[in-house]
Amino acid sequence: MTNPLLRVGALTTLLGSEDRPVRVVDGVDLEIRRGETFALLGESGCGKSMMALSLMRLLPPSGRITEGSVRLGDTELLELPERAMRGVRGGRMGMIFQEPQTSLNPVLTIGRQIAEAVRLHENRSHDRIFQRVSELLRAVGIPDPAPRSGEYPHQLSGGMKQRVMIAMALAGTPKLLIADEPTTALDVTIQDQVLWLLKGLQRETGMAVLLITHDLGVVAETADRVAVMYAGQILETATVADFFSRPAHPYSGKLMASLPAPEKRAGTLAVIPGQVPPLDQPFRGCRFADRCDRVMDHCRDQEPAWHVPSPGHRVRCHLWEGGELIAVADSAGSVTKGAVPRGQIGETVLRVDDLTVHFPIHKGVFRRVVGQVKAVDGVSIDLRTGETLALVGESGCGKTTLGKGILRLIPTTCGTVRFNGTELTRLGGRALRGYRKDLQIIFQDPFAAMNPRMLVGDIVGEGLQALRIEPNRAKRLERVRSLLDRVGMPAAATDRYPHEFSGGQRQRICIARALAVEPKVIVCDEPTSSLDVSVQAQILNLLQQLQRDLGLSYLFITHNLSVVSYLAHAIAVMYLGRIVERGTVTEVLDDPRHPYTKALLSAVPVVDPEQRREIIRLEGDMPSPSHPPAGCHFHPRCPEAEPECARAYPVETRLRGTRMVHCLRVGN
């Protein structure tokens, strides 16, 4: 076995004051070998990102490393002066941050930003620096690197920005690349491109990758070994094969049981009760004890030691004392609580016909209209009482714009939206206000969707007051407490502010706000995209229960197809402003007919190797909606395209009553 490239021993990092510090990293040991991908897995707040920043010595002002060792090759990084450490950062050790938009300088071209990294780590002349920039852009799969290097970050898609971040990280030819949630906000197709790119660069350069993520599917398909982190500690380390076949720690098993899947549709997902404990307190026993369904008396008083269930597999848990191998994965939480009946589907409550939302492009001093951004270009969908219709597709395809257009939050260009037979697009002002209570929305970012200066009680009750449903404040607060209780929040939350809650709790508050006015239809815009799998399971269970109890209809906008397989009744696949395939969840997921749907499904990372498909990798990015391609909009990226695909947009092919596809190759 080769010597580890990175060896971390008893690393401890503190934040905050000396009298009550937050132990974000607490005695962590790990090793990463040359050329391997090592995944660090866990919920938000477990210390994963602070672990990465500790390795790079990029801690915030209140942060400090108090104990431990970090050896990169033969170099002890914690003993290096800051000047020498600057040569390591971006050189022997590179890092890709979670959000590329905030990591790139918006006023500098991407070429200049990459050139800065090259200049710091390579002794090259001015001309050779920009030659190297082009080489790096080409290496990360960005076509036409010379003109692209002159573009600014806002001109690039999310996938392109992430590729630029990788190019900057590669400028110093790193031996170790730290990737902190590099694909969390990306669509499955772009996520696959980024992960495939990293794997290819690994093969070419032999670099090691520390992949920080909470996506179990990504870990299963890309990593060689995995470590599970919880409350600042490592609880389990194993090869990926051992970890997914025999998870040893109850926390690991709970994470896996929280994953949504088609076979779990008949019941509720397993959840992990409670939250990650605050790290500014002293711990005596196991840190997971308060949330563990197999807790024993001594778990709360004695810190568990390391045990070895099998060679190369280590776990910190009292259940393995004495060498007895206990199959903790089987007790990780039942995925069902008995058979839970799905709600009954009723008559059509919302009908959208040929809805179009175009945004004008203005130019010149007189702001002349020179074109149109065709964000939504003739969409027709039906939604029935008690039904969940999932709207899936890549970012930029028009999903959110369609949802806002249906709710009349933005003006529509043409088309009709009928709610219980009433045409909404012709209503305005007070007439439309009467229907606001029936049509609500849950936004993607719950923190941005709430006024940070308002108390939760006022936020949830705002609709009751604005629509004059409950003008009396005392009765309004009583109703708000009842709503919070329904979504699993304590009544005391009414007197607190949004920043005092976790991401999952904030999303529950937003759901309570949407429910306050007793809506019939709720547009759910990526409500679980930034949540951990355990919190995601809580939100999905809640949405499913509310649908059964209240007969709600959901238009569920997402790019997470595992969530779709669990929650949705029907699916509409959207590409560049148009629906390209529609059907029941079983029809579309089991037998995709449109090439774009096939590519989306193939790119979804899954835990079970037997369920993986051959990945269909799409070339390039989605075209601009201001200049859509002639013919089928998908044909420039379609692996099955034929010459006639470029001539005319394919008409609808109806395969059966619930199934339609827009593709020339279907039905011929």
Side-chain angles (χ1 to χ4, degrees):
M1 183 180 294
T2 59
N3 291 329
L5 171 67
L6 180 76
R7 182 181 285 117
V8 179
L11 184 64
T12 300
T13 301
L14 307 182
L15 294 179
S17 62
E18 294 287 347
D19 56 334
R20 193 171 181 179
V22 180
R23 303 178 72 87
V24 288
V25 180
D26 196 2
V28 167
D29 300 295
L30 61 83
E31 293 181 349
I32 302 177
R33 305 181 188 116
R34 302 176 191 276
E36 82 168 343
T37 299
F38 188 95
L40 192 59
L41 183 68
E43 294 174 279
S44 296
C46 285
K48 304 187 302 296
S49 293
M50 294 309 301
M51 173 72 184
L53 295 176
S54 298
L55 299 181
M56 296 286 287
R57 287 176 54 185
L58 286 174
L59 295 169
S62 66
R64 57 211 180 269
I65 298 173
T66 58
E67 298 178 47
S69 168
V70 179
R71 296 189 69 85
L72 183 63
D74 297 326
T75 306
E76 175 53 64
L77 300 185
L78 301 186
E79 295 178 356
L80 292 180
E82 176 58 25
R83 184 179 184 86
M85 191 63 199
R86 290 174 191 162
V88 175
R89 296 190 202 106
R92 296 171 61 193
M93 185 186 295
M95 186 165 181
I96 306 169
F97 294 94
Q98 180 172 352
E99 179 47 67
Q101 180 62 48
T102 57
S103 302
L104 294 170
N105 191 326
V107 299
L108 294 180
T109 64
I110 62 170
R112 287 190 61 185
Q113 294 185 62
I114 299 173
E116 182 180 4
V118 173
R119 191 178 298 112
L120 286 172
H121 299 287
E122 297 186 24
N123 186 19
R124 289 174 177 250
S125 64
H126 182 272
D127 291 339
R128 293 195 63 199
I129 285 176
F130 282 92
Q131 179 183 349
R132 175 62 173 158
V133 170
S134 295
E135 291 173 0
L136 288 167
L137 289 174
R138 194 175 292 110
V140 297
I142 295 182
D144 303 321
R148 284 286 193 180
S149 65
E151 294 181 349
Y152 291 88
H154 73 272
Q155 296 176 279
L156 305 178
S157 66
M160 284 291 187
K161 285 195 280 276
Q162 196 63 283
R163 287 168 184 257
V164 171
M165 290 296 299
I166 295 173
M168 293 175 65
L170 295 175
T173 317
K175 301 297 182 185
L176 173 66
L177 180 65
I178 301 173
D180 186 6
E181 300 276 11
T183 62
T184 294
L186 302 180
D187 306 311
V188 289
T189 51
I190 306 301
Q191 172 181 269
D192 174 69
Q193 292 177 16
V194 171
L195 295 175
W196 185 60
L197 170 64
L198 288 176
K199 276 293 184 186
L201 293 170
Q202 270 188 290
R203 288 192 296 269
E204 294 174 10
T205 64
M207 70 178 178
V209 174
L210 173 58
L211 177 65
I212 298 173
T213 184
H214 60 248
D215 191 321
L216 290 165
V218 168
V219 172
E221 292 200 358
T222 62
D224 302 301
R225 290 191 300 136
V226 60
V228 180
M229 195 167 188
Y230 183 81
Q233 281 189 336
I234 301 293
L235 297 184
E236 183 174 359
T237 61
T239 64
V240 164
D242 281 350
F243 177 75
F244 285 101
S245 61
R246 296 179 298 276
H249 199 282
Y251 178 59
S252 304
K254 279 284 193 181
L255 288 176
M256 292 187 199
S258 299
L259 290 173
E263 61 271 17
K264 301 178 183 180
R265 286 172 61 84
T268 56
L269 296 171
V271 299
I272 307 177
Q275 301 176 42
V276 178
L279 303 183
D280 60 350
Q281 60 177 323
F283 291 97
R284 294 182 59 190
C286 174
R287 302 185 179 194
F288 187 61
D290 289 340
R291 306 175 72 190
C292 182
D293 57 6
R294 303 202 65 187
V295 64
M296 299 176 288
D297 291 340
H298 62 288
C299 292
R300 303 184 189 279
D301 301 318
Q302 301 174 22
E303 183 172 356
W306 282 104
H307 302 281
V308 183
S310 60
H313 193 163
R314 302 170 68 232
V315 61
R316 192 196 296 259
C317 181
H318 287 301
L319 291 170
W320 291 88
E321 288 176 354
E324 183 180 358
L325 303 182
I326 303 174
V328 294
D330 295 338
S331 64
S334 173
V335 296
T336 64
K337 300 175 182 176
V340 181
R342 303 280 285 188
Q344 296 296 315
I345 304 295
E347 298 297 322
T348 299
V349 65
L350 184 72
R351 173 161 289 161
V352 179
D353 288 316
D354 200 30
L355 191 67
T356 301
V357 181
H358 291 177
F359 299 106
I361 302 173
H362 298 281
K363 190 176 182 180
V365 176
F366 297 103
R367 308 292 292 164
R368 292 182 297 109
V369 176
V370 296
Q372 299 283 338
V373 176
K374 300 176 181 179
V376 178
D377 198 19
V379 168
S380 300
I381 56 173
D382 290 341
L383 184 62
R384 295 176 292 173
T385 302
E387 182 182 38
T388 298
L389 172 63
L391 189 62
V392 303
E394 293 173 282
S395 294
C397 71
K399 303 188 300 295
T400 297
T401 303
L402 174 60
K404 291 181 177 180
I406 290 172
L407 299 181
R408 296 294 310 279
L409 297 179
I410 55 175
T412 57
T413 305
C414 62
T416 63
V417 179
R418 289 185 175 87
F419 172 72
N420 283 335
T422 302
E423 171 55 58
L424 300 183
T425 58
R426 298 176 183 175
L427 301 180
R430 184 171 297 178
L432 181 62
R433 188 183 182 89
Y435 289 91
R436 289 294 185 198
K437 69 179 294 296
D438 296 314
L439 302 162
Q440 287 290 302
I441 186 170
I442 302 170
F443 292 100
Q444 179 174 357
D445 186 345
F447 191 66
M450 293 187 282
N451 189 329
R453 294 187 177 92
M454 289 178 65
L455 294 170
V456 165
D458 295 327
I459 291 172
V460 176
E462 187 176 15
L464 295 171
Q465 182 181 15
L467 297 176
R468 299 178 183 176
I469 297 172
E470 185 53 80
N472 182 276
R473 178 172 174 79
K475 292 182 178 180
R476 189 165 64 244
L477 284 176
E478 182 180 347
R479 189 163 171 177
V480 166
R481 293 188 185 98
S482 175
L483 285 164
L484 291 173
D485 179 67
R486 177 179 280 275
V487 299
M489 293 292 293
T494 55
D495 299 320
R496 296 166 64 187
Y497 291 93
H499 74 270
E500 299 180 68
F501 298 93
S502 67
Q505 290 175 318
R506 285 196 286 263
Q507 197 60 285
R508 287 171 180 267
I509 293 168
C510 286
I511 293 172
R513 178 174 61 180
L515 291 174
V517 294
E518 299 180 352
K520 303 295 190 299
V521 175
I522 299 180
V523 175
C524 304
D525 188 8
E526 301 273 13
T528 63
S529 64
S530 60
L531 303 179
D532 304 314
V533 289
S534 57
V535 180
Q536 173 183 267
Q538 296 174 18
I539 298 301
L540 294 179
N541 286 343
L542 173 61
L543 290 174
Q544 192 180 74
Q545 182 65 48
L546 291 170
Q547 187 172 62
R548 284 195 298 267
D549 294 345
L550 305 175
L552 297 173
S553 302
Y554 298 136
L555 177 62
F556 199 93
I557 298 170
T558 185
H559 60 248
N560 189 331
L561 291 169
S562 62
V563 170
V564 171
S565 68
Y566 171 73
L567 189 68
H569 299 90
I571 302 177
V573 182
M574 196 168 184
Y575 185 81
L576 207 64
R578 297 184 178 183
I579 302 296
V580 297
E581 183 165 4
R582 188 173 66 238
T584 67
V585 65
T586 303
E587 289 171 341
V588 176
L589 295 185
D590 291 351
D591 182 29
R593 303 298 297 273
H594 196 282
Y596 179 59
T597 309
K598 295 177 185 177
L600 282 180
L601 293 178
S602 74
V604 177
V606 294
V607 170
D608 187 355
E610 296 182 359
Q611 296 182 6
R612 292 175 190 163
R613 307 169 187 249
E614 182 180 353
I615 296 176
I616 302 170
R617 291 191 167 89
L618 301 179
E619 298 296 329
D621 292 320
M622 186 183 297
S624 170
S626 61
H627 297 93
C632 174
H633 291 350
F634 184 60
H635 86 266
R637 304 172 69 194
C638 181
E640 303 178 26
E642 297 177 353
E644 58 265 30
C645 295
R647 299 191 184 111
Y649 194 84
V651 297
E652 176 181 303
T653 300
R654 188 166 290 275
L655 303 179
R656 58 182 67 92
T658 57
R659 191 77 188 278
M660 60 73 66
V661 184
H662 283 275
C663 181
L664 293 176
R665 294 177 60 87
V666 175
N668 291 343

